[in-house]
């Protein structure tokens, strides 16, 4: 079937799909799943609610037909989902899909890197917010040190996967790690992306005062390194990139709070239970799973997904501080996958 490009109300195409494969996690990062809110009694999705790999594959094919070129698997912690390489290999067979990535906390990456690469995975983004074991253990809420994550990063490099590092920066928590992380990543040829602490969900106690902005981080880095801007590789690239002068190592910023990029946002998100979200901050998901489980044909699913995207007018980050946004129902990052 011919691919058709669909556009939303602001003429933004749908290029990029994040698929959460699980809402559980082996970490309790303070900024994402605080341990006091996601305790032993927290009710996660039952297995029957999760999209099966066959359902994900079917939906992914439909998304590719309406313009998606990149898929990123996320969670919760995606490597907790059993046999993830099986899903990757199914997705890698889809004609027209140019890129499959994975976002992970890296703890189980050493075990899976080679299998994922063989299955067709192209790149991994590994979250690492500190190199200091004690601080890292405190941030992840599980006292897990950096060792398994660093070993996972090394294994991914050895397997030939593209590796980027994500660091969420929260004032008073890990801002002291900004320069050490830059040093580490520069030395190891890894692209580090600083992520501004975001007001996702309703459990992480977000305050604007806790945000260290892209500009502040950039100014800190400039005291240590010479940086030159790098042009975006494609429309909708989320990270603003710089290169350390006289190297081929980039460093990036995801400035969703201080410099929003809604006008070029071409990303949809599919939760582990098959709810389609057109914005990280739009709590109203569209239930695609039940339409599918109720027997919809591919044509009917394509029509429904296209209608949802055509009706999209989200630009939350552009309007973050508007009164009307303060009472918004928001979804948790661990559910929607970042
Ligand atoms: N568990 C995997 C991981 O941590 O990489 C994948 C899921 S996690 C929700 C995806 C990304 O969202 C991670 O890079 C994480 O650091 C980021 N994230 C989580 N909560 C955030 C917040 N409040 N603000 C900014 N980024 C956040
Ligand atoms: Fe888990 Fe990732 Fe959220 Fe941390 S950021 S709690 S690793 S889902
Ligand atoms: Fe995209 Fe919504 Fe984020 Fe804006 S706020 S960049 S529309 S996900």
């Amino acid at each position: 079937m011919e691919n058709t490009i669909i556009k939303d109300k602001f003429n933004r195409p749908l290029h990029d799909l994040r698929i959460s494969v699980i809402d559980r996690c082996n970490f309790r990062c303070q900024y994402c799943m605080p341990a006091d809110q996601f305790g032993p009694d927290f009710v996660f999705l039952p297995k029957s609610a999760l999209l099966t790999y066959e359902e994900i594959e079917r939906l992914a094919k439909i998304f590719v037909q309406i313009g998606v070129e990149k898929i990123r698997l996320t969670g919760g912690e995606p490597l907790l989902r059993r046999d993830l390489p099986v899903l990757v290999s199914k997705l890698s067979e889809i004609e027209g899909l140019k890129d499959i990535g994975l976002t992970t906390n890296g703890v189980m990456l050493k075990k899976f890197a080679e299998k994922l690469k063989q299955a067709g995975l192209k790149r991994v983004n590994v979250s690492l917010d500190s190199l200091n074991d004690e601080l890292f253990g405190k941030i992840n809420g599980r006292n897990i040190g950096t060792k398994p994550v660093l070993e996972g990063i090394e294994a991914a490099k050895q397997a030939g996967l593209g590796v980027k590092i994500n660091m969420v920066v929260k004032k008073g928590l890990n801002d002291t790690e900004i320069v050490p992380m830059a040093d580490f990543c520069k030395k190891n040829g890894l692209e580090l992306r600083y992520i501004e602490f975001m007001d996702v969900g309703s459990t992480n106690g977000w305050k604007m005062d806790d945000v260290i902005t892209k500009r502040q981080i950039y100014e800190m880095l400039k005291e240590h390194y010479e940086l030159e801007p790098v042009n975006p590789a494609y429309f909708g690239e989320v990270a603003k990139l710089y290169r350390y002068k006289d190297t081929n190592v980039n460093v990036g910023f995801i400035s969703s709070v201080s410099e929003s990029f809604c006008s070029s946002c071409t990303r949809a998100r599919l939760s582990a239970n098959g709810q389609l979200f057109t914005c990280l901050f739009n709590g109203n998901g569209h239930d695609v799973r039940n339409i599918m489980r109720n027997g919809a044909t591919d044509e009917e699913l394509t029509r429904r997904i296209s209608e949802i995207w055509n009706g999209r007018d989200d630009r939350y980050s552009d309007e973050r501080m508007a009164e009307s946004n303060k009472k918004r129902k928001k979804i948790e990052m661990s559910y929607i996958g970042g």
Side-chain angles (χ1 to χ4, degrees):
M1 205 211 276
E2 263 307 278
N3 286 8
T4 34
I5 302 297
I6 56 163
K7 302 265 180 87
D8 71 5
K9 287 195 171 166
F10 297 128
N11 219 22
R12 297 169 294 190
L14 171 51
H15 263 330
D16 177 354
L17 178 66
R18 293 236 158 148
I19 304 177
S20 170
V21 293
I22 193 162
D23 61 337
R24 288 161 205 261
C25 190
N26 43 0
F27 276 10
R28 288 293 180 272
C29 299
Q30 293 187 17
Y31 52 75
C32 176
M33 294 178 88
D36 57 344
Q37 309 263 351
F38 290 83
D41 299 333
F42 188 84
V43 183
F44 290 99
L45 293 169
K47 188 159 180 263
S48 59
L50 303 182
L51 292 178
T52 64
Y53 286 171
E54 288 68 30
E55 287 173 331
I56 294 177
E57 181 189 14
R58 181 173 173 209
L59 287 173
K61 281 185 183 155
I62 289 171
F63 276 99
V64 170
Q65 271 167 10
I66 55 177
V68 164
E69 295 183 347
K70 293 170 59 177
I71 288 183
R72 174 164 292 277
L73 302 176
T74 176
E77 174 45 46
L79 290 177
L80 285 180
R81 178 89 187 243
R82 191 182 257 248
D83 296 329
L84 195 69
V86 172
L87 175 63
V88 173
S89 78
K90 284 182 189 296
L91 297 178
S92 70
E93 301 278 299
I94 299 177
E95 208 178 313
L97 180 60
K98 298 193 176 142
D99 193 19
I100 309 173
L102 170 77
T103 304
T104 171
N105 63 25
V107 167
M108 292 183 293
L109 195 51
K110 186 177 173 188
K111 182 169 169 202
F112 286 107
E114 187 59 47
K115 286 192 189 117
L116 288 165
K117 170 72 182 172
Q118 278 169 13
L121 190 75
K122 299 259 193 330
R123 58 194 77 250
V124 281
N125 287 2
V126 182
S127 299
L128 180 63
D129 302 319
S130 169
L131 289 164
N132 174 307
D133 278 322
E134 199 179 323
L135 179 57
F136 186 62
K138 183 177 144 199
I139 296 172
N140 67 49
R142 285 278 158 94
N143 281 324
I144 297 176
T146 57
K147 188 166 180 266
V149 184
L150 296 175
E151 287 178 353
I153 292 169
E154 192 48 41
K157 277 168 77 178
Q158 292 300 327
L161 291 164
V163 184
K164 292 180 186 167
I165 307 297
N166 286 346
M167 172 182 180
V168 175
V169 184
K170 186 178 170 197
K171 194 187 283 176
L173 182 68
N174 63 341
D175 35 346
T176 49
E177 291 292 290
I178 290 172
V179 175
M181 282 286 293
D183 259 338
F184 169 81
C185 290
K186 181 169 178 274
K187 272 192 203 115
N188 288 284
L190 294 162
E191 182 175 311
L192 170 63
R193 289 127 43 100
Y194 295 99
I195 306 180
E196 290 178 350
F197 175 42
M198 281 191 284
D199 49 337
V200 275
S202 56
T203 56
N204 69 9
W206 183 89
K207 301 194 291 310
M208 189 66 202
D209 278 355
D210 292 335
V211 179
I212 307 230
T213 63
K214 173 206 160 188
R215 174 133 299 275
Q216 290 168 319
I217 301 172
Y218 177 79
E219 293 301 330
M220 277 186 221
L221 293 184
K222 264 198 11 198
E223 290 181 17
H224 299 263
Y225 315 100
E226 266 191 82
L227 297 172
E228 40 195 32
V230 174
N231 288 331
Y234 53 90
F235 177 78
E237 186 164 58
V238 170
K240 295 195 183 69
L241 291 179
Y242 293 80
R243 184 176 300 124
Y244 297 105
K245 197 163 186 274
D246 300 326
T247 73
N248 59 359
V249 185
N250 290 346
V251 59
F253 300 88
I254 303 188
S255 56
S256 352
V257 179
S258 67
E259 293 173 20
S260 57
F261 38 78
C262 298
S263 60
S264 59
C265 177
T266 57
R267 180 172 298 168
R269 295 172 163 90
L270 189 62
S271 69
N273 60 343
Q275 305 281 307
L276 180 63
F277 292 88
T278 54
C279 172
L280 192 50
F281 300 93
N282 184 340
N284 299 316
H286 302 267
D287 190 345
V288 183
R289 182 196 64 189
N290 281 350
I291 303 179
M292 184 165 48
R293 290 190 182 170
N294 286 335
T297 62
D298 283 358
E299 285 67 30
E300 284 161 348
L301 278 167
T302 309
R303 201 174 323 117
R304 181 67 195 119
I305 293 168
S306 304
E307 275 166 15
I308 293 168
W309 192 262
N310 291 148
R312 175 192 197 232
D313 60 0
D314 304 295
R315 47 189 211 91
Y316 173 83
S317 284
D318 283 354
E319 306 164 324
R320 174 169 271 110
M321 289 310 179
E323 249 342 280
S324 56
N325 269 331
K326 299 205 171 137
K327 291 191 208 89
R328 221 180 228 254
K329 173 181 143 211
K330 290 201 239 148
I331 29 171
E332 296 299 326
M333 196 72 143
S334 52
Y335 173 68
I336 199 64

